[in-house]
């Protein structure tokens, strides 16, 4: 698939078939996501896979009830975590910019979108989810203390083909100075 087509046709998928995501395909997606740019090439994104109907349903009910309908149809969940205290820092531990450690969220976002585009290119649907009980889900998933959970990505073979929502005009988005 051409890059422009991949960008223009990728949608947030919220309904999935029962067909599982192949581990070999997932590993290829992660290999591509590893090429996402990051602060000083720190490569802080980490991915934790949750699969199996029982595990996914438990996670949805206990830690992500707001997104339970979407999560309950996914055949795989990816918990995206970042290694803390690396992005936005100098070697002496001081912040490089006034954004502090906020750069880690940029890196996680870039990596997550790269993951989703790679998945779409392989015919796997995704949706990035941000509403969940982070502290308790980190404990449940045994995320190491030097990492922070930042997003969930529901994955699976799409059972829907949503249309593109209306987009703002370039003139509304772009300002020349």
């Amino acid at each position: 698939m051409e890059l422009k087509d991949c960008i223009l046709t990728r949608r947030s998928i919220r309904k999935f078939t029962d067909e599982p995501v192949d581990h070999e395909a997932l590993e290829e997606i992660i290999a591509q996501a590893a090429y996402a740019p990051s602060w000083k090439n720190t490569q802080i994104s980490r991915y934790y896979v949750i699969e199996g109907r029982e595990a996914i349903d438990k996670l949805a009910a206990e830690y992500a009830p707001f997104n339970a309908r979407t999560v309950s149809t996914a055949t795989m969940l990816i918990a995206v975590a970042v290694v803390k205290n690396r992005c936005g820092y100098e070697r002496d531990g001081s912040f490089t910019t006034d954004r502090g450690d906020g750069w880690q969220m940029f890196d996680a976002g870039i990596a997550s979108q790269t993951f989703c585009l790679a998945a779409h290119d392989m015919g796997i649907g995704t949706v990035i989810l941000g509403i969940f009980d982070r502290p308790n889900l980190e404990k449940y998933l045994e995320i190491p203390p030097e990492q922070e959970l930042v997003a969930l990505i529901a994955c699976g073979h799409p059972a829907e083909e949503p249309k593109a929502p209306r987009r703002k005009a370039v003139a509304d988005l772009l300002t020349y100075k």
Side-chain angles (χ1 to χ4, degrees):
M1 177 181 307
E2 293 292 321
L3 177 61
K4 183 177 179 181
D5 292 334
C6 192
I7 292 168
L8 295 178
T9 62
R10 190 237 166 231
R11 298 283 165 269
S12 292
I13 302 298
R14 291 178 173 83
K15 293 179 185 171
F16 303 92
T17 69
D18 292 336
E19 182 183 354
V21 174
D22 180 70
H23 284 195
E24 195 172 298
L26 175 64
E27 290 169 14
E28 176 60 28
I29 292 165
I30 297 294
Q32 291 180 40
Y35 279 83
S38 62
W39 177 272
K40 296 185 179 183
N41 197 33
T42 51
Q43 302 179 46
I44 61 165
S45 296
R46 301 295 184 267
Y47 307 91
Y48 296 88
V49 178
I50 300 95
E51 14 179 34
R53 187 79 278 131
E54 189 176 315
I56 290 171
D57 288 346
K58 176 184 171 73
L59 188 149
E62 294 183 25
Y63 306 105
F66 179 84
N67 289 305
R69 282 182 48 193
T70 298
V71 171
S72 69
T73 69
T75 56
M76 178 181 284
L77 286 176
I78 306 297
V80 181
V82 294
V83 177
K84 297 187 285 190
N85 302 322
R86 294 214 183 140
C87 290
Y89 290 89
E90 291 298 316
R91 292 189 191 278
D92 66 3
S94 65
F95 292 124
T96 304
T97 74
D98 64 353
R99 300 246 182 243
D101 67 356
W103 283 101
Q104 71 186 21
M105 295 305 281
F106 282 88
D107 287 359
I110 295 166
S112 294
Q113 179 64 355
T114 303
F115 178 102
C116 291
L117 288 169
H120 176 57
D121 187 48
M122 297 179 74
I124 297 168
T126 58
V127 61
I128 301 171
L129 307 168
I131 302 174
F132 50 87
D133 179 355
R134 185 184 56 79
N136 288 316
L137 186 51
E138 284 179 341
K139 288 177 192 165
Y140 174 70
L141 295 175
E142 299 177 344
I143 303 294
E146 67 276 3
Q147 294 180 22
E148 178 181 342
L149 183 61
V150 296
L152 294 174
I153 302 175
C155 300
H157 294 276
E160 64 177 356
E161 289 185 35
K163 293 189 189 298
R166 198 171 143 262
R167 300 294 187 210
K168 294 182 187 221
V170 171
D172 295 332
L173 303 172
L174 177 64
T175 303
Y176 288 101
K177 296 282 184 178

